[in-house]
Amino acid sequence: MNYQQTLDYLYKALPMFHRVGAAAYKPDLSNTIKICNRLGNPQQYIKCIHIAGTNGKGSVSNMFASVLQEAGYRTGLYTSPHLKDFRERIRIDGKMISKKYICSFVEKYQRDFEKIQPSFFEMTVGLAFQYFHEKKVDIAVIETGLGGRLDSTNVITPLISVITNIGYDHMNLLGNTLSKIAKEKAGIIKKDIPVILGEEKKETINIFRSTASKQHAPLYIASKNYKATVSPDSDSKKKELLIADIYLNKKLRYKKLNMDLTGHYQLKNCCTVLQSMEVLKEFLPVSEKHIRKGLSNVALNTGFEGRWQILSKKPLTIADTGHNIDGIKEVVLMLKKQKYKKLHFVLGMVNDKDISSILKLLPQNAYYYFCKAAIPRGLDTDILYEKAVQHKLKGAVFSSVNNALKAAKENAGINDLIFIGGSTFTVAEVV
């Protein structure tokens, strides 16, 4: 099979969460263990960083990879979902896995897949472990898919475990309270392995303290030690960068740290990375120069897209993949910081989110272009429109994401703002 035939086979033969949702979720590690055993357990031979969390784990993973690349380490990066190309999920030093490697891997293990019947994600985890092992990476940054305890990636023994934050998402699979979700995320905490928690929440902190204590895992809380503010000395010529002052224990540690991921919510993610790097230096020394260069070149080094990404200037057009309650709250805060005459909001969502709780957060002074991403999980536009009207949102329905964006561009003046979001898959069709 050629590459396209191989992908078509995988999409057809293996259930894929980002397309069909909960039906593809396998709530145990048995299939992953079978795949890893068949491959010779490559995950045992690679040094890893394991990253979980409700929001921010993609940004944190890519920040890590960029800094480690700048420090000269051959760095594997496994993330999900992809935006445009399946190969985005598996990279070494920013370069996507080759089509040839994927084809040969699937051809070699196709019969095993048909016996084991893994999900698409389980297969991809095995592929990533094998690729990183064969290509002899110095370090692999591994992002969880859902949860942590039963996530397919949770067969590794990392150098450090990182949990960015806890919020409401995938409640149908992980639990409908923050404490239940936290217990699932805390499942990546391993015996004697340091764990870094990005944000402290009163509803969940005792769960992480208790789990870390039982596992004798040193616990570090980034938000207690690091604080980040937008620098008052920001250079007006550097509009493409977020410039931050970072404080460690209330003392200025990094003055005018340049970040190319410019959403202000990245300040928290940056603090998580800096705290993690402080712990990681015992295993992988990284200098301040590498940190500064890595954080200012994340998109360039790793190919990361879709986080407060500016697509064009006149009118200003921005896309962001924030898609759950906490993510949308951050988006709305960022929109309030922008200057514009009128807001045009291209909105598409998936059908397994808490739709009403998200819609009530959205600005009522915008005009909405309701659309559906081209995946089975996409929320029907008529349902989206009906629910949006209940929350006093005004707009019209469009047959596709691109048609919605086209209409927004036709209607927007040069001083207006066009925003595209609501789902990773809505953004994927325009970046």
Side-chain angles (χ1 to χ4, degrees), residues 327-356:
I328 294 296
K329 282 180 179 177
E330 296 289 356
V331 163
V332 171
L333 282 175
M334 282 298 295
L335 288 172
K336 287 178 179 177
K337 296 176 187 291
Q338 308 303 309
K339 293 180 180 179
Y340 55 83
K341 190 173 181 180
K342 186 176 180 180
L343 175 60
H344 303 260
F345 202 126
V346 177
L347 179 66
M349 301 178 71
V350 291
N351 58 23
D352 51 9
K353 298 297 177 187
D354 185 354
I355 307 300
S356 292

Side-chain angles (χ1 to χ4, degrees), residues 375-389:
I375 58 166
R377 267 176 81 205
L379 179 64
D380 182 87
T381 48
D382 290 334
I383 296 174
L384 178 57
Y385 177 78
E386 183 181 323
K387 288 183 177 290
V389 168

Side-chain angles (χ1 to χ4, degrees), residues 111-226:
R111 288 186 179 179
D112 296 294
F113 297 153
E114 288 167 359
K115 288 179 183 176
I116 296 169
Q117 295 188 311
S119 69
F120 188 91
F121 188 81
E122 289 167 334
M123 181 283 301
T124 307
V125 166
L127 169 62
F129 291 158
Q130 183 83 327
Y131 186 64
F132 294 153
H133 174 49
E134 285 189 11
K135 299 301 180 181
K136 295 181 169 58
V137 298
D138 297 315
I139 183 73
V141 180
I142 307 294
E143 178 195 357
T144 61
L146 296 177
R149 181 176 66 95
L150 299 175
D151 187 79
S152 299
T153 62
N154 202 29
V155 294
I156 58 176
T157 303
L159 299 177
I160 61 172
S161 304
V162 181
I163 301 170
T164 57
N165 59 24
I166 300 299
Y168 290 107
D169 202 4
H170 303 298
M171 286 94 80
N172 58 326
L173 301 173
L174 304 180
N176 57 6
T177 66
L178 290 180
S179 60
K180 287 179 180 178
I181 295 169
K183 285 178 183 176
E184 292 301 314
K185 308 285 186 185
I188 72 165
I189 298 175
K190 305 287 194 306
K191 190 175 188 303
D192 298 325
I193 303 296
V195 56
I196 294 86
L197 182 62
E199 296 178 48
E200 183 179 26
K201 282 189 175 181
K202 63 181 180 181
E203 302 98 322
T204 59
I205 186 59
N206 287 338
I207 290 167
F208 292 113
R209 290 191 189 280
S210 173
T211 307
S213 177
K214 288 175 183 175
Q215 296 286 6
H216 303 286
L219 175 65
Y220 302 84
I221 303 171
S223 61
K224 287 186 70 172
N225 301 320
Y226 284 84

